[in-house]
Amino acid sequence: MIVGGESLRPLRPAPEGDALWVIDQRALPHRLHWQRLATPAAVCTAIREMWVRGAPLIGAVAAYGLALQMRADPSDAALSRSAAVLRQARPTAINLAWALDRMQARLRGEAPGRRAARAWAEAAAIAEDDVATNAAIGRHGLPLLQALAARRPGPVQVLTHCNAGWLATVDWGTATSPLYQAQAAGLPVHVWVDETRPRNQGASLTAWELGQAGVPHTLIADNAGGHLMQRGQVDLVIVGCDRVSARGDVCNKIGTYLKALAAHDNGVPFYVAMPLSTLDAGLHDGLAGIPIEERSGRELTHITGRHADGSVVEVQLAPEGTPAANPAFDVTPARLVSGLITERGIVAATEDALRGLGRLP
Ligand code: MRU
């Protein structure tokens, strides 16, 4: 994406092949800060501590982590050990395992002496594939917006949750890709941005992204979406996903399920932008089988923001010692999903439709 006249992606491989630069998303929206990751351990920390986040991005970054490992030690043992460690960095988004499996499949057949160069090239291919995938998701999603625009005057009102934008991918974003393509096509859209408690990816990241791109948007409290839908102020919901089961259940950032329920109750179409790398073909029932990340309660009891003097500070919200539970993802049953916007087109959230894409056994 173009930000301030500069073409930006959230990751930038060093030309020397010895490090990966990433945008540290913890600093946004107050500061655009880059981190240099030069070891697999640093990559693991960046994923686990959410310097980088979003399902496709953590897959691509992990691939570079394995490439850095191959530079240091290209042995079979190091390949297996490093892939296992990276895989554990975050449990829910399957793109992490998908990217590491792709890397390992490519590297196993290669002599150790050739693995470093091959790994770097494969990580770059994963990143470029993600860009093409997301551009295709945008192209397939755009007609949904065009159809809604044809129904009445004014901008199409889209609600999104969390950040499934370019910051969460290598470029374009998934849920945001149709929006950016609508903008490029001159189709007016307005986006309701869920703040997405507790980490506020909507308030900090999606609002920043859309603002930089000049896409009209309004930040709302997570609890406001249902009310806006009842008042006819939402035409369409588009969210991203972290793992989709074979029958079309969608795991995404906590709170997505409640938006799907409200959309269903109000007859608002609820679409999920889904790269096929997010499909867990071996899992049928998403409600039972997806590991849901439990994060620190401190994300609820405390909040970080910018002070008037420019300093970024953390303050406490809840009484000292309050117990807090923080499940980071939820699962929206397939029956609440109007369709999956994939790089191969829009399909129903059903096993048959996903099988039709050739992605199920
Ligand atoms: O915990 P996060 O910020 O990594 O969660 C991200 C999301 O839930 C995104 O919506 C999802 O990964 C899709 S990103 C294109």
Side-chain angles (χ1 to χ4, degrees), residues 136-150 178 181-182 187 236 341 346:
I137 286 173
R139 283 196 301 278
H140 292 302
L142 179 58
L144 286 175
L145 299 169
Q146 288 167 325
L148 289 164
Q181 299 209 16
L187 187 85
L236 173 70
I341 313 173
I346 299 181

Side-chain angles (χ1 to χ4, degrees), residues 25 47 50 52-58 90 92-93 95 130 134 160-169 173-176 196 199 201 205 239-243 251-254 256 273 275 278 293 295 328-329:
Q25 299 190 23
I47 295 172
M50 292 175 69
V52 291
R53 27 82 34 220
L57 181 64
I58 61 177
R90 290 194 73 191
T92 301
N95 303 60
D130 186 59
N134 299 332
T160 193
H161 191 69
C162 194
N163 171 258
W166 68 263
L167 284 165
T169 66
T174 57
T176 53
T196 316
R199 278 191 75 103
Q201 289 96 329
L205 304 176
V239 298
C241 51
D242 290 84
R243 193 184 291 228
C251 182
N252 191 47
K253 182 51 56 189
I254 193 82
T256 303
T278 309
E293 182 176 11
R295 297 191 60 84
F329 298 90

Side-chain angles (χ1 to χ4, degrees), residues 79-101:
L79 178 58
S80 301
R81 197 176 51 243
S82 193
V85 169
L86 284 161
R87 193 181 291 258
Q88 302 297 323
R90 290 194 73 191
T92 301
I94 197 166
N95 303 60
L96 185 56
W98 171 87
L100 292 166
D101 286 347

